[in-house]
Amino acid sequence: MSGLILQVLPFAVGAAISPTVLTLEVFILASNKQPKARAWAYALGGAVFTALFFVLVLTFLGGVPTGSTGRNTALLWVSGVAAVLLVILGIRQLMPRKTPGEKHSSRIQQRLQAAGPWLFGVGGFVMMLTDFSSLIIVIPGLHHVVLSDAASADEAIAIAILYIAILLPMVIPVGLVTILGKRSDKILHWLNDFCTRHARVITAIVCFVLAAYLVYKIIS
Protein backbone atom coordinates (compact mmCIF):
# COMPACT_ATOMS: atom_id res chain seq x y z
CA MET A 1 0.00 0.00 0.00
CA SER A 2 1.44 3.38 -1.02
CA GLY A 3 2.34 6.09 1.48
CA LEU A 4 -0.29 8.42 0.04
CA ILE A 5 -3.11 5.93 0.59
CA LEU A 6 -1.96 5.41 4.18
CA GLN A 7 -1.95 9.19 4.65
CA VAL A 8 -5.56 9.61 3.53
CA LEU A 9 -6.98 6.59 5.39
CA PRO A 10 -7.51 8.44 8.73
CA PHE A 11 -9.48 11.12 6.90
CA ALA A 12 -11.51 8.50 5.04
CA VAL A 13 -12.42 6.74 8.30
CA GLY A 14 -13.43 10.03 9.90
CA ALA A 15 -15.51 11.11 6.91
CA ALA A 16 -17.32 7.75 6.87
CA ILE A 17 -18.75 8.36 10.35
CA SER A 18 -21.80 10.59 9.91
CA PRO A 19 -24.70 9.49 12.15
CA THR A 20 -27.10 12.23 11.01
CA VAL A 21 -26.78 11.34 7.33
CA LEU A 22 -27.16 7.63 8.13
CA THR A 23 -30.21 8.18 10.35
CA LEU A 24 -32.09 9.99 7.58
CA GLU A 25 -31.30 7.16 5.15
CA VAL A 26 -32.72 4.62 7.64
CA PHE A 27 -35.81 6.84 8.05
CA ILE A 28 -36.34 6.80 4.29
CA LEU A 29 -36.03 3.01 4.19
CA ALA A 30 -38.68 2.72 6.93
CA SER A 31 -41.32 4.34 4.70
CA ASN A 32 -43.97 2.25 2.94
CA LYS A 33 -43.79 3.94 -0.46
CA GLN A 34 -40.88 3.00 -2.76
CA PRO A 35 -38.33 2.88 0.08
CA LYS A 36 -35.44 1.50 -1.98
CA ALA A 37 -36.01 3.86 -4.92
CA ARG A 38 -36.19 6.82 -2.57
CA ALA A 39 -33.12 5.69 -0.61
CA TRP A 40 -31.04 5.21 -3.75
CA ALA A 41 -32.17 8.63 -5.01
CA TYR A 42 -31.07 10.12 -1.67
CA ALA A 43 -27.67 8.44 -2.02
CA LEU A 44 -27.37 9.59 -5.64
CA GLY A 45 -28.06 13.19 -4.63
CA GLY A 46 -25.33 12.94 -2.02
CA ALA A 47 -22.97 11.41 -4.58
CA VAL A 48 -23.57 14.27 -7.03
CA PHE A 49 -22.89 16.94 -4.40
CA THR A 50 -19.78 15.12 -3.18
CA ALA A 51 -18.41 14.85 -6.73
CA LEU A 52 -18.92 18.59 -7.26
CA PHE A 53 -17.35 19.34 -3.87
CA PHE A 54 -14.31 17.22 -4.65
CA VAL A 55 -13.81 18.91 -8.02
CA LEU A 56 -14.03 22.37 -6.46
CA VAL A 57 -11.67 21.52 -3.58
CA LEU A 58 -9.11 19.82 -5.82
CA THR A 59 -9.22 22.74 -8.25
CA PHE A 60 -8.77 25.27 -5.46
CA LEU A 61 -6.02 23.34 -3.69
CA GLY A 62 -4.29 22.78 -7.02
CA GLY A 63 -3.40 26.47 -6.97
CA VAL A 64 -1.05 26.16 -4.00
CA PRO A 65 2.63 27.06 -4.58
CA THR A 66 4.73 24.23 -6.04
CA GLY A 67 7.98 25.06 -4.27
CA SER A 68 8.99 22.94 -1.27
CA THR A 69 8.54 25.77 1.23
CA GLY A 70 5.24 26.83 -0.29
CA ARG A 71 3.92 23.27 -0.25
CA ASN A 72 4.78 22.82 3.42
CA THR A 73 3.32 26.19 4.38
CA ALA A 74 0.10 25.48 2.51
CA LEU A 75 -0.20 22.06 4.16
CA LEU A 76 0.29 23.65 7.59
CA TRP A 77 -2.36 26.28 6.92
CA VAL A 78 -4.96 23.86 5.56
CA SER A 79 -4.35 21.36 8.38
CA GLY A 80 -4.39 24.09 11.02
CA VAL A 81 -7.62 25.68 9.82
CA ALA A 82 -9.27 22.26 9.51
CA ALA A 83 -8.18 21.36 13.07
CA VAL A 84 -9.65 24.58 14.48
CA LEU A 85 -12.93 24.10 12.61
CA LEU A 86 -13.18 20.48 13.78
CA VAL A 87 -12.70 21.53 17.40
CA ILE A 88 -15.44 24.16 17.00
CA LEU A 89 -17.76 21.60 15.41
CA GLY A 90 -16.97 19.09 18.15
CA ILE A 91 -17.85 21.60 20.86
CA ARG A 92 -21.00 22.55 18.95
CA GLN A 93 -22.10 18.90 18.93
CA LEU A 94 -22.00 18.82 22.72
CA MET A 95 -24.25 21.87 23.06
CA PRO A 96 -28.02 21.27 23.52
CA ARG A 97 -29.14 23.46 20.60
CA LYS A 98 -29.78 21.64 17.29
CA THR A 99 -26.96 21.63 14.77
CA PRO A 100 -27.56 22.76 11.14
CA GLY A 101 -27.43 19.13 10.02
CA GLU A 102 -30.08 18.10 12.55
CA LYS A 103 -32.31 21.02 11.55
CA HIS A 104 -32.08 20.12 7.88
CA SER A 105 -32.65 16.45 8.67
CA SER A 106 -35.88 17.28 10.53
CA ARG A 107 -37.11 19.57 7.74
CA ILE A 108 -36.26 17.04 5.06
CA GLN A 109 -38.08 14.26 6.94
CA GLN A 110 -41.22 16.41 7.10
CA ARG A 111 -41.12 17.48 3.45
CA LEU A 112 -40.30 14.09 1.97
CA GLN A 113 -43.26 12.19 3.42
CA ALA A 114 -45.25 12.29 0.17
CA ALA A 115 -42.47 13.24 -2.25
CA GLY A 116 -41.36 11.33 -5.33
CA PRO A 117 -37.89 9.74 -5.63
CA TRP A 118 -36.44 12.72 -7.54
CA LEU A 119 -37.00 15.01 -4.55
CA PHE A 120 -35.11 12.57 -2.34
CA GLY A 121 -32.14 13.22 -4.59
CA VAL A 122 -32.41 16.90 -3.70
CA GLY A 123 -32.63 15.87 -0.04
CA GLY A 124 -29.40 13.88 -0.33
CA PHE A 125 -27.70 16.83 -2.03
CA VAL A 126 -28.76 19.18 0.78
CA MET A 127 -27.81 16.73 3.55
CA MET A 128 -24.28 16.39 2.20
CA LEU A 129 -24.08 20.15 1.84
CA THR A 130 -24.76 20.52 5.58
CA ASP A 131 -22.57 17.60 6.72
CA PHE A 132 -19.83 20.03 7.72
CA SER A 133 -17.75 17.63 9.80
CA SER A 134 -17.29 15.13 6.96
CA LEU A 135 -16.61 17.87 4.41
CA ILE A 136 -13.96 19.51 6.59
CA ILE A 137 -12.35 16.15 7.33
CA VAL A 138 -11.82 15.23 3.67
CA ILE A 139 -10.21 18.56 2.73
CA PRO A 140 -6.81 17.80 4.35
CA GLY A 141 -6.98 14.34 2.78
CA LEU A 142 -7.51 15.84 -0.66
CA HIS A 143 -4.73 18.31 0.04
CA HIS A 144 -2.33 15.41 0.63
CA VAL A 145 -3.29 14.13 -2.81
CA VAL A 146 -2.69 17.51 -4.46
CA LEU A 147 0.75 17.88 -2.87
CA SER A 148 1.75 14.26 -3.42
CA ASP A 149 4.45 13.11 -5.79
CA ALA A 150 2.89 9.65 -5.97
CA ALA A 151 1.91 7.97 -9.21
CA SER A 152 -1.33 9.07 -10.85
CA ALA A 153 -2.89 5.68 -10.15
CA ASP A 154 -2.19 6.05 -6.41
CA GLU A 155 -3.64 9.56 -6.43
CA ALA A 156 -6.79 8.30 -8.17
CA ILE A 157 -7.14 5.47 -5.65
CA ALA A 158 -6.69 7.90 -2.73
CA ILE A 159 -9.40 10.20 -4.10
CA ALA A 160 -11.70 7.22 -4.69
CA ILE A 161 -11.18 6.03 -1.11
CA LEU A 162 -12.15 9.44 0.27
CA TYR A 163 -15.12 9.68 -2.09
CA ILE A 164 -16.49 6.24 -1.25
CA ALA A 165 -15.89 6.73 2.47
CA ILE A 166 -17.92 9.93 2.74
CA LEU A 167 -20.85 8.25 0.96
CA LEU A 168 -20.88 5.08 3.10
CA PRO A 169 -23.52 6.39 5.59
CA MET A 170 -25.88 6.79 2.63
CA VAL A 171 -24.99 3.62 0.76
CA ILE A 172 -24.61 1.01 3.52
CA PRO A 173 -28.25 1.02 4.75
CA VAL A 174 -29.85 0.87 1.29
CA GLY A 175 -27.20 -1.62 0.17
CA LEU A 176 -28.13 -3.91 3.07
CA VAL A 177 -31.82 -3.68 2.16
CA THR A 178 -31.11 -4.32 -1.52
CA ILE A 179 -28.97 -7.39 -0.79
CA LEU A 180 -30.63 -8.84 2.32
CA GLY A 181 -34.22 -7.62 2.02
CA LYS A 182 -36.24 -8.09 5.21
CA ARG A 183 -33.29 -9.79 6.88
CA SER A 184 -31.66 -6.36 7.23
CA ASP A 185 -34.48 -5.00 9.43
CA LYS A 186 -32.78 -5.88 12.72
CA ILE A 187 -29.48 -4.37 11.61
CA LEU A 188 -31.15 -1.15 10.45
CA HIS A 189 -33.19 -0.91 13.63
CA TRP A 190 -30.03 -1.27 15.70
CA LEU A 191 -28.18 1.31 13.58
CA ASN A 192 -31.05 3.79 13.85
CA ASP A 193 -31.38 3.33 17.61
CA PHE A 194 -27.63 3.59 18.20
CA CYS A 195 -27.18 6.68 16.01
CA THR A 196 -30.26 8.41 17.44
CA ARG A 197 -28.93 7.99 20.96
CA HIS A 198 -25.26 8.70 20.39
CA ALA A 199 -25.05 10.79 17.18
CA ARG A 200 -23.71 13.93 18.83
CA VAL A 201 -21.17 12.18 21.01
CA ILE A 202 -19.92 10.08 18.08
CA THR A 203 -19.54 13.14 15.84
CA ALA A 204 -17.83 15.14 18.60
CA ILE A 205 -15.33 12.32 19.23
CA VAL A 206 -14.55 12.03 15.53
CA CYS A 207 -13.99 15.80 15.29
CA PHE A 208 -11.71 15.91 18.33
CA VAL A 209 -9.70 12.84 17.31
CA LEU A 210 -9.13 14.12 13.77
CA ALA A 211 -8.27 17.60 15.10
CA ALA A 212 -5.70 16.02 17.44
CA TYR A 213 -4.31 14.00 14.53
CA LEU A 214 -3.95 17.13 12.40
CA VAL A 215 -2.19 18.97 15.25
CA TYR A 216 0.17 16.01 15.62
CA LYS A 217 0.91 16.12 11.88
CA ILE A 218 1.56 19.86 12.06
CA ILE A 219 3.98 19.47 14.98
CA SER A 220 5.77 16.51 13.48
Side-chain angles (χ1 to χ4, degrees), residues 10 18 37 59 84 122 134 140 150 155 165 169 178 192 196 201 209 214 216-217:
S18 182
T59 302
V84 171
V122 177
S134 295
E155 291 180 353
T178 302
N192 184 56
T196 300
V201 174
V209 168
L214 286 170
Y216 166 76
K217 294 284 287 183

Side-chain angles (χ1 to χ4, degrees), residues 42-206:
Y42 172 75
L44 179 60
V48 170
F49 171 81
T50 304
L52 293 174
F53 178 77
F54 271 43
V55 170
L56 289 173
V57 171
L58 288 169
T59 302
F60 175 77
L61 294 177
V64 298
T66 56
S68 177
T69 303
R71 286 159 66 100
N72 292 333
T73 301
L75 188 60
L76 289 174
W77 271 104
V78 171
S79 298
V81 171
V84 171
L85 291 176
L86 286 173
V87 169
I88 293 172
L89 284 174
I91 295 172
R92 177 68 183 84
Q93 290 292 327
L94 300 178
M95 297 172 66
R97 192 158 48 98
K98 280 189 175 183
T99 65
E102 289 172 334
K103 291 177 181 177
H104 281 286
S105 180
S106 298
R107 291 170 186 165
I108 290 172
Q109 286 185 25
Q110 293 172 2
R111 294 176 182 177
L112 295 183
Q113 293 287 353
W118 70 271
L119 197 55
F120 283 78
V122 177
F125 191 98
V126 173
M127 276 305 300
M128 288 305 301
L129 175 63
T130 58
D131 188 18
F132 299 127
S133 59
S134 295
L135 297 179
I136 292 171
I137 286 169
V138 298
I139 291 175
L142 291 174
H143 201 197
H144 275 82
V145 175
V146 170
L147 298 181
S148 172
D149 293 322
S152 298
D154 287 339
E155 291 180 353
I157 292 171
I159 294 171
I161 289 172
L162 290 169
Y163 183 77
I164 293 169
I166 200 172
L167 293 176
L168 286 179
M170 288 182 161
V171 175
I172 286 178
V174 67
L176 286 173
V177 172
T178 302
I179 297 170
L180 300 177
K182 290 292 183 181
R183 289 175 292 172
S184 64
D185 287 351
K186 288 185 178 180
I187 301 174
L188 293 178
H189 178 75
W190 179 84
L191 278 174
N192 184 56
D193 185 58
F194 183 80
C195 290
T196 300
R197 290 184 182 183
H198 307 293
R200 287 183 171 228
V201 174
I202 293 170
T203 305
I205 290 173
V206 171

